Amino acid sequence: MSATTTAPDGRGARVLPATEGSVVQRILRGAVTPGGAVFLLVAVLFIAVVWVNPSFGEPPQLIRFMGRTAPIAIAAMGQYYVIVAGEFDLSMGAVVATQVVIAGNYIGEDESRVLPALGLMLLVGASVGLVNGLATTMLKVPSFIVTLGTMLALGGLVRYLTGGAATGNPVDSFREIGRGGIQDVPVLDVLPYPVIILAVVAAAGVWLMRSPFGKTLIATGDNPDAAGLAGAHVWWVKTRAFMLSSLSATVAGILLVGYAGVHPSVGAGYEFTAITAVVLGGVVLGGGRGWLLSAAAGAFALELLFSFLNFQEIESTWRASVQGLIIILAVAASGRAWSLGRRPARTSPPPQPSSEQAAPAPSPNPARPGTETGEN
Amino acid sequence: MSSTTHPHETPEDVRRRRASRPKAARQLGSTALIYLVLVGVVVASAVLTAVEGRNFFSQGNIWGVLTAMSVLGLISIGQTLVILVGSLDLSVPYVVSLATLIAAGGMKGLDANVPAAVFNTLVLCALIGLVMGLLVSLLDVHGFIASLGVGLIVSGYLATNYQGSHGAAAPDVRLLGRSGIAGIIPTAFIILLVCTLIVTLLLRYTRIGHHLYAVGGNREVARMSGVRTAVPVIAAHVVCSLLAGLAGLMLLSRTGVGLPTIGSQGRYDLLSIAAVVLGGTLLAGGKGSVIGTIGGVAIFAVIDNVMGVMQVNPFLKDFVRGLVIVLAVAVYARRSVVSRPPRFGPDRVLPLPGPLAGPASPTDKEPA
């Protein structure tokens, strides 16, 4: 994957733009893509927040903020798998609500039920994803409609079973997962469990996207027909993406039990916030483009923005408007940037391949367009 | 046609003749399928209603179903246009709420203010649609994001400036909400029918209608064929927001006051998209009809009605609704996606299996 030989006439191996140049050059080039720009956005917003409220920059405050943002960041990463495969998952909020209610009612005050409950919740999450995925791939129903259906069905069922009110209360040891942390850490004061879970989920996700599954997932999102002809089991790849999404929603739900109460409305609107974060991270709706960690960074950018608005004492009702404005601007800008990142590379490629540049390129050079997607 | 056999025809000729028949004759169109499903749903509902000891076809019940159809129907017509052109509109619930507030605020309960208030409302809605259309067509923002963003902006405005009900509808407007023909067909439903007719004619017989399908089918190909791709996209979004505004006015005629959450409570964004897809329109765009959408809306209205009669728990209603959406779409989504246009024109013939393939003409030997 590091080098491709496109021409048999001895023009030699041409290095892919993703891997040419020094580390600094590569980072700079990555920062220009929408997936990289979101990290700059996070930095700018962070500076803005600290400028407004200096205490926010202190490590204990900061790590608590990260803990608060962890659920939505995990949900955003889950949504990323589905979006990069070219689908949508609108059932996320309903899955979160379901898990919260399961935790509240099944565990109750019984300490010994925590582990079985975790297993049950993961099982429920995986099966919701399986249903979403199979209905999308096997029945050929658009995923927007399938997940809308599961959202209505699951949400309705949960509200019906609970009567629409808060019920049950899990033991504190379960709530500690979302609420507690390792005490007496140097510098940070406290290291919340959500931050650890976020780090583990992110690391696992990065590993997954570098594995053959990840490559197939991106290929499937870019062009399912081509991926299918190349031998990928498109239905199974997409189904697994849906399962990952629902499992992420499950983890987010487990964390949210600690913060919020046990109420069927806990996950309301989570799907759109997650999609917003993913889109803010420069991931292209329609699939095939984007980086996993950018999605998480998008979630952080969104939360930082809300913190900034809070500190500015802007009415919280304007939050929605700002969110709307931001995603439109981000997508408009990133649409430009992806096309800028793609086309000029053909006419003026960076440093090395001068021989390639001279050729009028009658033969298509493969692997070129997709290369910005990976690990910048 | 297939029953009449010509004695001098070879099997090959029969195959050729059958293959060249228009597709609609061989296979039920998706619109026809929707209405078949609708008939099935109506029959089932009538039976279930009868079990409860009531009459589905009673005057009041029909009035109820048709009224329930009218608001979602109007929004879904607009949504159909937007989806046909390859975009999406998630902002409709907020536009609906905004329309009720602006109109109610403008009318202030006086008949004299009606024309100005209606005009202002519709112009504002059209402007919102114009903004979305420009975002989608000129800035290349995905319709999902553009409409979600615009919807969020409007919802922030609503939440900040309106806490509860606002303004009052003029008596004439309220009267309109209760009027109808013979106590069976509400005026709102007639408005829906008129809009359906106009939009159908627009799609079938005008240039912009054809361009709408072309752009929705493949924007690049449409552009290369000389279509100004921006025009149909903008037109679809403007009409969609206008119809959402009209639906808001219709709601206002029923409630009498402007409510900032009436649209989001109705979940008109997702339900209208579901109705459009239920009506046989491809979510990816380029294929579908407004007539089918109305069928989809009718299915929803009938199911809601029968659940109301059976006094189903309102939360359980959502469960049933979700199930119906997925199952109903699953029934025919498969066919509409799998069926492809013939590759070699109408008289394409598949290679014959077995010994019959021998004497066939060379064109028939092409791989399928």
Side-chain angles (χ1 to χ4, degrees):
Chain A
M1 186 68 195
S2 62
T4 50
T5 49
T6 52
D9 57 351
R11 263 188 280 159
R14 192 176 57 75
V15 184
L16 288 178
T19 49
E20 64 195 28
S22 69
V23 176
V24 180
Q25 277 178 317
R26 282 163 61 185
I27 289 177
L28 281 179
R29 208 163 37 239
V32 182
T33 65
V38 70
F39 291 96
L40 292 182
L41 182 66
V42 168
V44 168
L45 282 168
F46 177 69
I47 292 169
V49 174
V50 172
W51 182 53
V52 174
N53 179 12
S55 69
F56 186 84
E58 291 163 16
Q61 283 266 16
L62 197 59
I63 203 78
R64 285 204 181 87
F65 166 77
M66 289 179 74
R68 279 200 307 279
T69 313
I72 186 67
I74 290 172
M77 284 193 281
Q79 188 73 250
Y80 162 85
Y81 297 114
V82 178
I83 286 184
V84 91
E87 308 286 347
F88 284 105
D89 188 355
L90 299 183
S91 67
M92 219 162 211
V95 172
V96 169
T98 311
Q99 305 297 2
V100 166
V101 167
I102 289 179
N105 290 293
Y106 178 71
I107 299 178
E109 289 304 311
D110 193 350
E111 191 90 32
S112 64
R113 279 191 174 178
V114 169
L115 282 181
L118 281 177
L120 177 69
M121 288 160 81
L122 291 175
L123 196 68
V124 169
S127 38
V128 171
L130 191 67
V131 169
N132 280 342
L134 291 183
T136 304
T137 53
M138 292 290 163
L139 298 180
K140 306 261 189 247
V141 182
S143 61
F144 194 91
I145 298 298
V146 173
T147 53
L148 169 65
T150 28
M151 166 186 155
L152 287 177
L154 213 56
L157 197 63
V158 166
R159 276 161 204 266
Y160 170 67
L161 293 177
T162 58
T167 51
N169 188 15
V171 286
D172 280 347
S173 63
F174 185 78
R175 293 195 149 202
E176 276 297 295
I177 300 175
R179 198 186 267 170
I182 301 168
Q183 303 292 333
D184 300 328
V185 180
V187 192
L188 296 176
D189 189 27
V190 60
L191 184 60
Y193 294 129
V195 175
I196 302 172
I197 294 173
L198 173 65
V200 171
V201 170
V206 168
W207 171 77
L208 200 61
M209 290 314 289
R210 280 167 174 264
S211 72
F213 165 72
K215 304 290 178 202
T216 319
L217 190 68
I218 288 182
T220 305
D222 211 359
N223 189 336
D225 293 337
L229 290 175
H233 297 285
V234 171
W235 70 273
W236 181 225
V237 170
K238 284 196 174 179
T239 304
R240 275 188 286 176
F242 276 104
M243 289 170 76
L244 284 171
S245 167
S246 295
L247 284 174
S248 303
T250 304
V251 175
I254 293 171
L255 295 182
L256 278 174
V257 173
Y259 279 110
V262 178
H263 195 275
S265 72
V266 163
Y270 234 64
E271 57 279 343
F272 284 118
T273 318
I275 293 175
T276 306
V278 170
V279 166
L280 205 55
V283 182
V284 175
L285 289 182
R289 258 159 215 291
W291 191 31
L292 176 76
L293 292 188
S294 303
F300 275 97
L302 208 56
E303 286 295 317
L304 277 171
L305 188 72
F306 291 153
S307 304
F308 180 71
L309 294 180
N310 273 347
F311 290 132
Q312 287 285 356
E313 291 176 2
I314 291 172
E315 279 180 85
S316 66
T317 43
W318 280 116
R319 269 171 71 146
S321 293
V322 174
Q323 191 182 344
L325 204 62
I326 287 288
I327 56 170
I328 291 178
L329 290 178
V331 173
S334 78
R336 288 289 125 98
W338 277 124
S339 54
L340 282 181
R342 283 180 77 175
R343 282 201 206 107
R346 199 160 285 210
T347 49
S348 60
Q352 273 192 334
S354 53
S355 60
E356 180 76 14
Q357 186 182 15
S363 65
N365 41 355
R368 194 71 190 255
T371 46
E372 290 94 334
T373 57
E375 312 75 41
N376 50 34
Chain B
M1 189 166 162
S2 58
S3 60
T4 59
T5 47
H6 309 284
H8 54 273
E9 242 182 3
T10 63
E12 178 53 34
D13 286 339
V14 176
R15 285 182 56 80
R16 192 181 287 276
R17 187 160 51 77
R18 285 189 186 157
S20 65
R21 250 182 300 174
K23 202 152 199 178
R26 262 181 301 169
Q27 199 182 47
L28 219 55
S30 56
T31 309
L33 198 69
I34 302 305
Y35 282 90
L36 268 184
V37 172
L38 177 61
V39 169
V41 169
V42 167
V43 169
S45 305
V47 171
L48 285 172
T49 315
V51 168
E52 289 285 313
R54 291 170 64 176
N55 182 8
F56 180 81
F57 297 105
S58 69
Q59 208 180 20
N61 207 39
I62 298 242
W63 175 280
V65 171
L66 295 183
T67 308
M69 270 183 72
S70 51
V71 171
L72 185 61
L74 270 184
I75 296 171
S76 302
I77 293 177
Q79 192 74 260
T80 311
L81 290 178
V82 171
I83 289 182
L84 273 181
V85 84
S87 183
L88 264 184
D89 194 344
L90 297 175
S91 71
V92 276
Y94 309 108
V95 174
V96 167
S97 306
L98 187 72
T100 67
L101 288 166
I102 299 292
M107 287 180 196
K108 297 192 189 99
L110 296 173
D111 284 338
N113 294 337
V114 171
V118 169
F119 180 77
N120 286 346
T121 309
L122 293 182
V123 166
L124 184 67
C125 292
L127 276 179
I128 294 175
L130 183 67
V131 169
M132 277 187 287
L134 290 174
L135 282 173
V136 172
S137 60
L138 297 187
L139 287 181
D140 270 335
V141 179
H142 196 291
F144 184 95
I145 295 298
S147 60
L148 182 65
V150 169
L152 284 172
I153 292 173
V154 175
S155 86
Y157 170 78
L158 292 177
T160 314
N161 294 325
Y162 300 96
Q163 264 70 39
S165 60
H166 175 80
D172 273 2
V173 174
R174 289 200 205 192
L175 202 64
L176 200 70
R178 286 193 220 100
S179 64
I181 296 174
I184 294 184
I185 305 171
T187 313
F189 187 71
I190 296 171
I191 295 176
L192 172 68
L193 285 186
V194 170
C195 287
T196 312
L197 187 71
I198 293 174
V199 174
T200 304
L201 292 179
L202 186 97
L203 282 177
R204 288 220 179 135
Y205 298 111
T206 65
R207 177 157 50 174
I208 199 155
H210 290 217
H211 285 184
L212 215 98
Y213 279 104
V215 172
N218 192 328
R219 194 163 158 183
E220 269 309 291
V221 171
R223 190 184 63 76
M224 288 181 215
S225 314
V227 176
R228 285 181 206 281
T229 56
V231 179
V233 174
I234 295 174
H237 272 286
V238 168
V239 172
C240 181
S241 293
L242 259 180
L243 288 173
L246 199 58
L249 290 175
M250 217 174 251
L251 277 173
L252 177 67
S253 76
R254 249 182 267 161
T255 57
V257 287
L259 294 166
T261 56
I262 193 162
S264 37
Q265 272 170 0
R267 298 211 202 166
Y268 291 120
D269 46 353
L270 299 177
L271 284 184
S272 64
I273 294 172
V276 170
V277 176
L278 203 58
T281 300
L282 278 192
L283 197 55
K287 190 178 173 191
S289 70
V290 174
I291 309 277
T293 300
I294 297 299
V297 172
I299 292 176
F300 274 147
V302 170
I303 290 175
D304 265 10
N305 178 273
V306 77
M307 285 197 290
V309 170
M310 293 174 71
Q311 295 179 334
V312 177
N313 179 304
F315 297 133
L316 211 55
K317 271 188 191 174
D318 264 353
F319 176 72
V320 176
R321 236 181 247 155
L323 224 56
V324 167
I325 291 173
V326 175
L327 289 182
V329 175
V331 167
Y332 62 84
R334 223 184 144 72
R335 348 174 342 134
S336 58
V337 173
V338 170
S339 65
R340 294 192 188 87
R343 236 188 290 178
F344 305 110
D347 52 356
R348 173 190 168 220
V349 180
L350 292 171
L352 287 175
L356 283 172
S361 57
T363 50
D364 293 328
K365 283 185 184 153
E366 281 175 21

